[in-house]
Amino acid sequence: MLISQLFNTLSVRDFRWLWGSSVIHVVGMSTELLVQGWMVLLITESPLWVGIVSGIRGAGNVGTGIMGGVLADRIHRRNVLATIHWVRGMLLAGLAFLVLTDMVQLWHILAAALFQGMADGLMSPSHNGLIYDTLGPRRLLNGLATMLAGYHLSWMIGSVVTGTVISILGIGTAYVVAAGAYLLSPVALLLVKAGEPVQRHQESVWRNTVEGLRYVLGSKPLLVMLLLSALVETFGFSYIVMLPVIAKNVLHVGAPGLGYLSAAGSVGALVGTVVVAGLGN
C-alpha cells in the first residue's frame, strides 16, 4: 500500500517527466553545493568564508523569489525551468574550466554562488507550480511527497558520487559532473505539456509584484507559513553548509567522508518522505 501510494502520481505522464528531470537536476545541485564548500575551504582554509559564500547564495535566492513568482505566471513554466537549468549548466562548465586550468579564484566562486542563488529563487515558483499543473489539487500532497522522495534519493546518490569523484578525479571533474547534470535535466522537461502561463493580459511586473506582497501581508496563514519556512531554512539546514569543514577539519575523513555525511541526512529524509507519501491525502 505504501509503495503504491508513493508511485501513484508517476502514472501521470507529465508528472513522470517532471520527476525525472528533477531527479537529474538534484544530482547536479548536490554535487555543486558540496564542491562549492570544499573548494572554498581549500582556497581560504577558513570556515568563515564557507559560510559567507553560502550566505551570498541565500541572499540571491531571497532577492529573486518574488520575481520568480511573476515569471511563473507569465511564461510557460516548463520553459522557465529549462532555460535556467541550461544557463546554470553553462556557468558550472565555465567554473570547471577555471578549476581544471588552475585559474580559479575566490571571487569566481562568490559570483557563481550569487548567480546560483538567484537562479534558485527564479525557478522555485515555476517548479512548484508545475507540480500542481501536472497533478491538480486532489493528488498534490502525494505528488509533493513523491517529488521529495526523488529529491532525497538523488541527493544521497549525488553526495556519494561527489565525494568519490573529488577523491579520485579532483574538484574540476566534480564540477563537470554537476554541469552535465544541469545540462541534461531540461531534456525531460521539454516533454512536459502542462505549465501554460495563467496571465495573458498585459499588466506591469511591478504591479504584479506589489499585488502579490499585499496579498501575502493580508493573509495570516500565509505569513505564519512563510515565517515557519524562514526559520526552518535558516536553522534547520545550515548544518549542510558546514559539512565540508566537519569532514576536513574535525573528523579528518576527506572528500569521501564528506559524501557519506551528506548522504546520511538524505537517508533519514527519504524514510520520512516515503511514510508521508504512503499516507495519501
Side-chain angles (χ1 to χ4, degrees):
M1 180 64 178
L2 190 67
I3 299 300
S4 64
Q5 285 284 354
L6 177 62
F7 292 104
N8 178 42
T9 51
L10 291 178
S11 62
V12 180
R13 176 191 178 277
D14 277 352
F15 180 80
R16 188 165 59 247
W17 286 118
L18 176 62
W19 188 85
S21 172
S22 178
V23 165
I24 299 172
H25 161 253
V26 172
V27 170
M29 184 170 66
S30 62
T31 301
E32 174 212 343
L33 287 173
L34 292 179
V35 173
Q36 171 186 285
W38 193 256
M39 189 72 198
V40 172
L41 192 58
L42 290 181
I43 292 177
T44 66
E45 297 184 354
S46 169
L48 176 61
W49 272 111
V50 175
I52 289 175
V53 172
S54 179
I56 289 175
R57 181 174 185 139
N61 191 331
V62 172
T64 57
I66 296 176
M67 182 59 66
V70 175
L71 288 177
D73 282 344
R74 288 171 170 263
I75 305 174
H76 199 298
R77 292 164 182 169
R78 174 199 65 197
N79 296 340
V80 173
L81 292 178
T83 301
I84 292 175
H85 288 342
W86 271 323
V87 173
R88 296 177 84 167
M90 293 302 297
L91 174 67
L92 290 179
L95 205 54
F97 173 79
L98 292 175
V99 174
L100 291 171
T101 55
D102 293 323
M103 294 191 296
V104 68
Q105 298 180 30
L106 179 61
W107 74 266
H108 294 139
I109 302 176
L110 290 171
L114 177 61
F115 178 85
Q116 295 288 11
M118 294 170 63
D120 288 335
L122 289 173
M123 65 169 282
S124 293
S126 291
H127 181 264
N128 294 333
L130 204 52
I131 297 174
Y132 182 89
D133 293 337
T134 57
L135 294 177
R138 294 185 60 186
R139 289 190 283 186
L140 181 60
L141 180 60
N142 188 255
L144 288 171
T146 305
M147 187 65 71
L148 282 173
Y151 177 99
H152 296 309
L153 180 62
S154 297
W155 190 283
M156 180 174 57
I157 295 173
S159 297
V160 175
V161 169
T162 300
T164 304
V165 170
I166 292 176
S167 177
I168 298 176
L169 302 175
I171 294 179
T173 304
Y175 268 119
V176 171
V177 172
Y182 275 120
L183 293 172
L184 183 62
S185 62
V187 175
L189 271 177
L190 294 179
L191 298 173
V192 177
K193 297 179 180 179
E196 290 288 344
V198 298
Q199 289 187 355
R200 299 191 180 276
H201 56 283
Q202 297 299 318
E203 194 175 68
S204 70
V205 173
W206 172 251
R207 184 174 179 180
N208 277 170
T209 303
V210 172
E211 287 180 351
L213 287 172
R214 186 181 296 118
Y215 180 78
V216 170
L217 292 175
S219 172
K220 185 177 179 179
L222 280 179
L223 285 175
V224 171
M225 287 190 290
L226 286 173
L227 177 60
L228 177 62
S229 176
L231 289 173
V232 172
E233 291 288 340
T234 302
F235 301 107
F237 298 109
S238 56
Y239 78 94
I240 298 176
V241 176
M242 288 292 107
L243 283 183
V245 179
I246 295 171
K248 186 175 186 295
N249 296 348
V250 180
L251 299 178
H252 307 290
V253 292
L258 170 63
Y260 288 119
L261 285 172
S262 178
S266 293
V267 173
L270 179 61
V271 173
T273 302
V274 169
V275 172
V276 172
L279 296 177
N281 289 322

